[in-house]
């Protein structure tokens, strides 16, 4: 494993501190999604049989319903910006013919981008990339952690849709290997064509029963050249602040450098059905004030805690008659932590009266790049699984991505700088009628 030069590590620590600081970003109004950059005739993902039904997987995870304008999708995203794109590496035993594809979520079509290698493993690998411009335009210097969280949510959505089955997820694969396997352009080539796509995660969907093949699923694809490039579109950055956009892309590329990928098995909570995945949506803040039943809260907390063995720890801030900060093992601290969480979450006052709030925590201020990447991707992944489980249990939910000066360890009396809130998920039980959201504080921003 290579270590970063001190100057680069210092820049990363500074960027993390800046993203967690109260500095208000320079932003622009909501910008529409750019045109799909991959040309050629698109194929419907449904096909004649195969062990991996890519039509079902993509409809339940990434597809944008035609009547939603692209903003409402089965997977949650900060600001409903949906920066994650999917490239399909399809081997034998799938509903699409073997080959490379770029997936268009608006049209629900897979655009061929080249052949498959002769030794492609059975099944499919979904390589998840992000485009940074729209998220940077909306969130400025806070965007790059949110892009990592979004990629984690998308990985969870694909894994949940593919289950049950022997689904594997990698959140630490080398970005260059992912890019080569997906046949994406090199950095200099992106600049001459369109907005870069930065690979961050992959989901492996084997199509065989029993033990999965021992061959690594990416290696057969990396030797193939790219045979279909994105359509030329000037990379204007969508009016995002140029310096912050360049910094976000540089940071994500640097964070994605890794070693051999690890592939963790993915599980779907038993109560989660395809109908759950079709109907799950983030609830508006006004619908999140009713406390969930304690047993249901404990079940969702356990799901978040167990979703990723390499992820951060989770706690739940509960209100009601016995407010406290809960772990899967029991009470961590008494008292109502929700008002503090509301203060930390970029001034989103509604969190102070939410039924309960799950928070992922860890990722020290001086964390190495592998831990920063892994903490955020795994937190997004765990929140995605927990949100699906909450939906199956009849609970409302809403992810919370923006956290400022949220040093949970210091608030609990530990040394400062070692235990920060990384992600959150608000939960609420059903209520007869939604309660009104509290008015925002003057001068305070309210961002999801």
């Amino acid at each position: 494993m290579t270590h970063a030069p001190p100057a680069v590590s210092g820049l990363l620590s500074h960027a993390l501190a800046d993203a967690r600081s109260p500095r208000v970003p320079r932003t622009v109004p909501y910008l529409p999604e750019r045109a799909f950059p991959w040309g050629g005739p698109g194929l419907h993902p449904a096909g004649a049989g195969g062990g991996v039904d890519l039509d079902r997987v993509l409809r339940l995870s990434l597809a944008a319903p035609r009547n939603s304008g692209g903003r409402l999708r089965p997977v949650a995203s900060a600001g409903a910006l949906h920066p994650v794109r999917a490239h399909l590496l399809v081997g034998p035993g799938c509903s699409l013919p073997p080959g490379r594809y770029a997936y268009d979520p608006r049209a629900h079509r897979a655009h061929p981008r080249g052949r498959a290698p002769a030794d492609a493993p059975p099944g499919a690998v979904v390589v998840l990339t992000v485009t940074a411009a729209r998220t940077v335009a909306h969130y400025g210097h806070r965007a790059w952690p949110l892009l990592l969280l979004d990629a984690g949510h998308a990985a969870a959505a694909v894994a949940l849709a593919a289950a049950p089955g022997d689904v594997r997820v990698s959140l630490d694969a080398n970005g260059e290997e992912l890019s080569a396997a997906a046949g994406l352009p090199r950095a200099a080539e992106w600049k001459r064509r369109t907005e870069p796509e930065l690979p961050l995660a992959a989901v492996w969907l084997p199509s065989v029963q029993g033990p999965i093949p021992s061959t690594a699923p990416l290696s057969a694809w990396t030797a193939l050249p790219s045979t279909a490039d994105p359509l030329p579109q000037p990379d204007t950055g969508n009016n995002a602040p140029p310096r912050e956009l360049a910094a976000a892309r540089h940071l994500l590329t640097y964070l994605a450098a890794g070693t051999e990928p690890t592939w963790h098995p993915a599980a779907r909570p038993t109560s989660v059905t395809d109908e759950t995945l079709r109907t799950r949506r983030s609830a508006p803040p006004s619908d999140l004030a009713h406390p969930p039943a304690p047993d249901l809260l404990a079940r969702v907390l356990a799901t978040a805690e167990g979703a990723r063995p390499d992820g951060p720890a989770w706690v739940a801030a509960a209100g009601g008659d016995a407010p406290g900060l809960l772990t899967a093992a029991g009470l961590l601290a008494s008292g109502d932590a929700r008002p503090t969480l509301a203060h930390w979450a970029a001034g989103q006052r509604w969190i102070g009266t939410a039924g309960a709030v799950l928070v992922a925590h860890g990722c020290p201020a001086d964390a190495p790049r592998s831990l920063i990447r892994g903490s955020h991707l795994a937190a997004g992944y765990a929140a995605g699984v927990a949100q699906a489980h909450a939906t199956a249990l009849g609970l409302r939910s809403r992810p919370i991505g923006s956290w400022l000066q949220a040093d949970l360890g210091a608030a609990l009396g530990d040394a400062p700088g070692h235990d920060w809130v990384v992600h959150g998920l608000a939960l609420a039980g059903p209520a007869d009628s939604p309660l009104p959201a509290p008015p925002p504080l003057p001068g305070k921003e309210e961002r999801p």
Side-chain angles (χ1 to χ4, degrees), residues 50-52 91-94 121-124 166 204-209 212-213:
V52 178
C94 297
D166 200 352
W204 181 13
L205 316 176
S207 64
V208 295
Q209 299 297 322
I212 61 175

Short mmCIF file of all heavy atoms in Angstrom, two decimals, residues 50-52 91-94 121-124 166 204-209 212-213:
data_model
loop_
_atom_site.label_atom_id
_atom_site.label_comp_id
_atom_site.label_asym_id
_atom_site.label_seq_id
_atom_site.Cartn_x
_atom_site.Cartn_y
_atom_site.Cartn_z
N GLY A 50 -32.13 -15.83 -18.08
CA GLY A 50 -30.86 -15.44 -17.48
C GLY A 50 -30.98 -15.39 -15.98
O GLY A 50 -32.05 -15.07 -15.42
N GLY A 51 -29.89 -15.68 -15.30
CA GLY A 51 -29.90 -15.69 -13.85
C GLY A 51 -29.97 -14.30 -13.23
O GLY A 51 -30.36 -14.16 -12.08
N VAL A 52 -29.60 -13.27 -13.99
CA VAL A 52 -29.64 -11.90 -13.47
C VAL A 52 -30.61 -11.09 -14.32
O VAL A 52 -30.36 -10.83 -15.51
CB VAL A 52 -28.24 -11.24 -13.50
CG1 VAL A 52 -28.32 -9.79 -13.01
CG2 VAL A 52 -27.25 -12.03 -12.65
N GLY A 91 -21.78 -10.34 -18.38
CA GLY A 91 -21.28 -11.61 -18.86
C GLY A 91 -22.42 -12.56 -19.18
O GLY A 91 -23.59 -12.14 -19.28
N PRO A 92 -22.15 -13.85 -19.30
CA PRO A 92 -23.22 -14.82 -19.60
C PRO A 92 -24.22 -14.91 -18.45
O PRO A 92 -23.91 -14.63 -17.29
CB PRO A 92 -22.45 -16.14 -19.75
CG PRO A 92 -21.02 -15.76 -19.99
CD PRO A 92 -20.81 -14.47 -19.27
N GLY A 93 -25.45 -15.28 -18.80
CA GLY A 93 -26.47 -15.54 -17.79
C GLY A 93 -27.23 -14.33 -17.33
O GLY A 93 -27.71 -14.30 -16.19
N CYS A 94 -27.38 -13.33 -18.20
CA CYS A 94 -28.10 -12.10 -17.83
C CYS A 94 -29.19 -11.82 -18.85
O CYS A 94 -29.22 -12.39 -19.94
CB CYS A 94 -27.14 -10.92 -17.74
SG CYS A 94 -25.88 -11.07 -16.48
N PRO A 121 -16.78 -13.31 -16.38
CA PRO A 121 -17.44 -14.18 -15.40
C PRO A 121 -18.96 -14.14 -15.57
O PRO A 121 -19.52 -13.11 -15.98
CB PRO A 121 -17.01 -13.59 -14.05
CG PRO A 121 -16.65 -12.18 -14.36
CD PRO A 121 -16.10 -12.17 -15.75
N PRO A 122 -19.66 -15.23 -15.29
CA PRO A 122 -21.12 -15.23 -15.39
C PRO A 122 -21.73 -14.17 -14.48
O PRO A 122 -21.29 -13.97 -13.35
CB PRO A 122 -21.51 -16.63 -14.94
CG PRO A 122 -20.28 -17.46 -15.12
CD PRO A 122 -19.14 -16.54 -14.86
N GLY A 123 -22.75 -13.48 -14.99
CA GLY A 123 -23.40 -12.44 -14.21
C GLY A 123 -23.01 -11.07 -14.68
O GLY A 123 -22.55 -10.88 -15.82
N ALA A 124 -23.19 -10.10 -13.83
CA ALA A 124 -22.93 -8.70 -14.19
C ALA A 124 -22.24 -7.98 -13.04
O ALA A 124 -22.44 -8.30 -11.88
CB ALA A 124 -24.24 -8.00 -14.54
N ASP A 166 -26.48 -14.26 -4.25
CA ASP A 166 -25.13 -14.07 -3.73
C ASP A 166 -24.56 -12.77 -4.28
O ASP A 166 -23.68 -12.77 -5.15
CB ASP A 166 -24.25 -15.26 -4.10
CG ASP A 166 -23.03 -15.36 -3.21
OD1 ASP A 166 -22.80 -14.42 -2.42
OD2 ASP A 166 -22.30 -16.35 -3.31
N TRP A 204 -21.44 -6.63 -7.64
CA TRP A 204 -21.24 -7.84 -8.43
C TRP A 204 -22.46 -8.73 -8.25
O TRP A 204 -22.82 -9.09 -7.13
CB TRP A 204 -19.97 -8.53 -7.96
CG TRP A 204 -19.59 -9.79 -8.68
CD1 TRP A 204 -20.10 -10.27 -9.85
CD2 TRP A 204 -18.60 -10.72 -8.25
NE1 TRP A 204 -19.48 -11.43 -10.19
CE2 TRP A 204 -18.56 -11.75 -9.24
CE3 TRP A 204 -17.74 -10.80 -7.16
CZ2 TRP A 204 -17.70 -12.84 -9.13
CZ3 TRP A 204 -16.89 -11.87 -7.06
CH2 TRP A 204 -16.86 -12.89 -8.03
N LEU A 205 -23.09 -9.11 -9.38
CA LEU A 205 -24.29 -9.92 -9.38
C LEU A 205 -23.99 -11.23 -10.11
O LEU A 205 -24.21 -11.35 -11.33
CB LEU A 205 -25.44 -9.19 -10.09
CG LEU A 205 -25.63 -7.70 -9.75
CD1 LEU A 205 -26.73 -7.10 -10.60
CD2 LEU A 205 -25.91 -7.52 -8.28
N PRO A 206 -23.44 -12.25 -9.43
CA PRO A 206 -23.17 -13.52 -10.11
C PRO A 206 -24.46 -14.17 -10.59
O PRO A 206 -25.51 -14.05 -9.95
CB PRO A 206 -22.49 -14.36 -9.03
CG PRO A 206 -22.02 -13.38 -8.00
CD PRO A 206 -23.01 -12.26 -8.03
N SER A 207 -24.38 -14.88 -11.71
CA SER A 207 -25.57 -15.54 -12.25
C SER A 207 -25.55 -17.03 -12.01
O SER A 207 -26.41 -17.75 -12.53
CB SER A 207 -25.66 -15.29 -13.76
OG SER A 207 -24.57 -15.88 -14.45
N VAL A 208 -24.60 -17.52 -11.25
CA VAL A 208 -24.50 -18.96 -11.00
C VAL A 208 -24.97 -19.26 -9.59
O VAL A 208 -24.87 -18.42 -8.70
CB VAL A 208 -23.06 -19.46 -11.19
CG1 VAL A 208 -22.64 -19.31 -12.64
CG2 VAL A 208 -22.10 -18.71 -10.28
N GLN A 209 -25.49 -20.44 -9.39
CA GLN A 209 -25.89 -20.89 -8.07
C GLN A 209 -24.70 -21.54 -7.37
O GLN A 209 -23.80 -22.07 -8.01
CB GLN A 209 -27.05 -21.87 -8.18
CG GLN A 209 -28.30 -21.28 -8.82
CD GLN A 209 -28.89 -20.14 -8.02
OE1 GLN A 209 -28.90 -20.19 -6.78
NE2 GLN A 209 -29.36 -19.11 -8.70
N ILE A 212 -19.51 -18.75 -5.64
CA ILE A 212 -19.21 -17.85 -6.76
C ILE A 212 -17.81 -18.15 -7.28
O ILE A 212 -16.96 -18.67 -6.57
CB ILE A 212 -19.32 -16.37 -6.32
CG1 ILE A 212 -18.31 -16.06 -5.21
CG2 ILE A 212 -20.71 -16.03 -5.87
CD1 ILE A 212 -18.28 -14.61 -4.83
N PRO A 213 -17.54 -17.85 -8.54
CA PRO A 213 -16.23 -18.13 -9.10
C PRO A 213 -15.13 -17.40 -8.32
O PRO A 213 -15.34 -16.30 -7.80
CB PRO A 213 -16.33 -17.59 -10.53
CG PRO A 213 -17.80 -17.53 -10.83
CD PRO A 213 -18.46 -17.26 -9.52
#
